[in-house]
Amino acid sequence: MKILYTFLLLFGIFAQGISQSSNSKKADKLFANKQFAEAAVEYEKLAQSYPILSNLADCYLFQNKLSEAINVYDKLIADYKDSLQSQNYFNYAQALMKTGDYTKSDPIMSLYLKYSIITPNFLYNLKSLIPYSYDIQMMSKNNTNGDYGVTSYQDQVIYASAKKGNMPNYAGNVESDYDFVVADVNKVGLIINAKPFSKELNSKLHESSPTFSIDGKTVYFCRTNDKKAKASAIHFATKSIYKAELINGVWISGTKLPFCDVKSSYESPILSRDGKRLYFSSNREGSIGGFDIFYVNIDKNGTYSNPINVGKSVNTIQEEKSPYISEDNAVLYFSSNGHQGMGGLDIYMCDVFGNDYLNVLNLGATINSNFDDFAFSVNNTTDIGFMTSNRDGGNTNLFSFKRVKNETNFFVQGNVIDKNTKNPLPNTNVVLFDMKGVKVAELVSSNKTEFILKAKPNTKYLLKAINNLYYPFEEEIITTNDGKVRYTIELFKIIN
């Protein structure tokens, strides 16, 4: 009898192990398919281990179930600290940042980055660095529609919307197609008169992210590669870029671009105004991290170059998405969670010099939130633009904005030194005059000899410095496009 009991016990343990393994495979498959809600249900049934808890925490994070995610990340830290991978620290910090808890997130993100960051100081410094502040508003009366990727088209806007009024179910189970929708924008910035854009371009698959040539006769856009993609995974389904032409008032069904391979996703195309360069985001071979920003050059015959990565100044080992190039090709905007920010995807800008992309800058707290902010576009003439965000922690929504120049951004700064010894000269009177001789700013240099004078961009000034032991100094200066000039004033000492 004892042998029988032992056999039954061992059989039960063996069967339990088989069941655990089977359920784990089911959960892992759901996780790999980005069906995070369903995967979480399966992981919750399993015995706790490092891989199970790691994936469960990520499932909660990717659904923005932040308290649940933080609780599991806390347990990972407590029970498996020696087993944690760097991505665990990054995801844990992101969960905390999305709640606005920088006191807890900064030490975790510092562990990931291997250098110290202090987010409140970063946000404070941004106030004087960003060239614009943004007045944003939601473009619909509710926050449950899940629309995304709005762009201007003639006098209207086009965006991706769940067709037939079917709201996407991010818990899974319900399929929902996204199509192009065209709409008007009323005087108070709300979308009205929405209707399908083109029956030729809207297919049984999911379409999004249109970008048009300047004459409006060519469009590049995204289309998913899997017609069975569930609503819970639609934003994660692999996509390719298509091109379509407007012929006799009818859009000819799109053709996939030749560089889009089946193993990777190609998203958020944006065509330069001159039509010579197409930017996009992809996780293709050659990516530094997850998704990177790439571009292809387009020659006069319509032939595409091989995709070119814009480089490590923009791309990180995390995610860079939704590029947008300014009308003059001088500024590239993109979204990233790999550069220092506020949580989730933030919107950034960088200067474009030929094939170099430099001076990456977060656009600041007037447009970025603790959640995901992306699909930025702006008209340089009107300073009106659009973006997409899930800043309420739920579905994505469309936003419009009006940007205004950030007066705190425009300044002349520098220091005062002895011309011969190079020693600092504190307590020097530094004055800024306009070209009519009107004093616009004045201060006495500090004990550190630093001065900051408020100014305007693209403006000529007369800079003067007075110290009783030195000869007076004056020189004409011109501020730059972003209003910043750094200048070292060198004074000659008076010799009796």
Side-chain angles (χ1 to χ4, degrees), residues 43-252:
Y43 284 128
E44 288 165 353
K45 300 175 183 177
L46 302 176
Q48 293 182 353
S49 64
Y50 166 68
I52 297 299
L53 288 177
S54 178
N55 284 356
L56 177 60
D58 289 350
C59 284
Y60 289 142
L61 172 62
F62 299 148
Q63 296 177 83
N64 286 326
K65 293 184 175 181
L66 301 179
S67 61
E68 292 94 333
I70 291 169
N71 286 337
V72 181
Y73 287 126
D74 282 338
K75 186 167 183 59
L76 277 172
I77 291 284
D79 296 348
Y80 300 97
K81 187 173 183 179
D82 294 336
S83 301
L84 295 185
Q85 299 180 9
S86 61
Q87 192 66 32
N88 293 129
Y89 289 108
F90 177 83
N91 289 350
Y92 184 22
Q94 284 291 320
L96 291 165
M97 291 172 73
K98 286 187 174 185
T99 69
D101 191 349
Y102 298 126
T103 301
K104 291 184 179 179
S105 69
D106 283 351
I108 301 299
M109 187 61 80
S110 297
L111 286 173
Y112 167 76
L113 294 172
K114 296 181 173 57
Y115 62 83
S116 179
I117 65 166
I118 304 175
T119 299
N121 290 358
F122 165 74
L123 297 178
Y124 177 81
N125 291 333
L126 269 183
K127 292 179 181 179
S128 64
L129 295 175
I130 55 175
Y132 297 94
S133 60
Y134 298 82
D135 181 16
I136 72 171
Q137 70 171 55
M138 197 163 70
M139 300 181 72
S140 61
K141 292 182 179 180
N142 66 78
N143 61 357
T144 61
N145 50 44
D147 297 339
Y148 68 100
V150 65
T151 187
S152 297
Y153 178 71
Q154 299 176 354
D155 295 327
Q156 297 178 296
V157 293
I158 296 178
Y159 54 95
S161 182
K163 64 184 179 182
K164 297 180 180 179
N166 293 327
M167 296 302 105
N169 178 356
Y170 291 98
N173 303 322
V174 178
E175 295 188 4
S176 178
D177 294 329
Y178 278 79
D179 277 349
F180 291 136
V181 169
V182 62
D184 298 312
V185 179
N186 67 15
K187 293 181 179 179
V188 296
L190 295 177
I191 285 176
I192 58 173
N193 304 326
K195 60 183 179 181
F197 172 62
S198 165
K199 65 180 181 180
E200 293 81 19
L201 296 184
N202 286 333
S203 71
K204 293 181 180 180
L205 300 173
H206 306 271
E207 283 79 30
S208 62
S209 306
T211 178
F212 295 87
S213 61
I214 192 170
D215 62 5
K217 295 182 179 180
T218 300
V219 62
Y220 294 90
F221 62 96
C222 288
R223 179 174 283 160
T224 56
N225 295 319
D226 184 3
K227 65 182 180 181
K228 296 181 180 180
K230 288 181 178 291
S232 59
I234 180 56
H235 293 285
F236 303 97
T238 59
K239 305 176 182 71
S240 291
I241 300 174
Y242 287 73
K243 176 184 177 182
E245 303 283 350
L246 185 65
I247 299 177
N248 297 324
V250 177
W251 287 103
I252 304 303

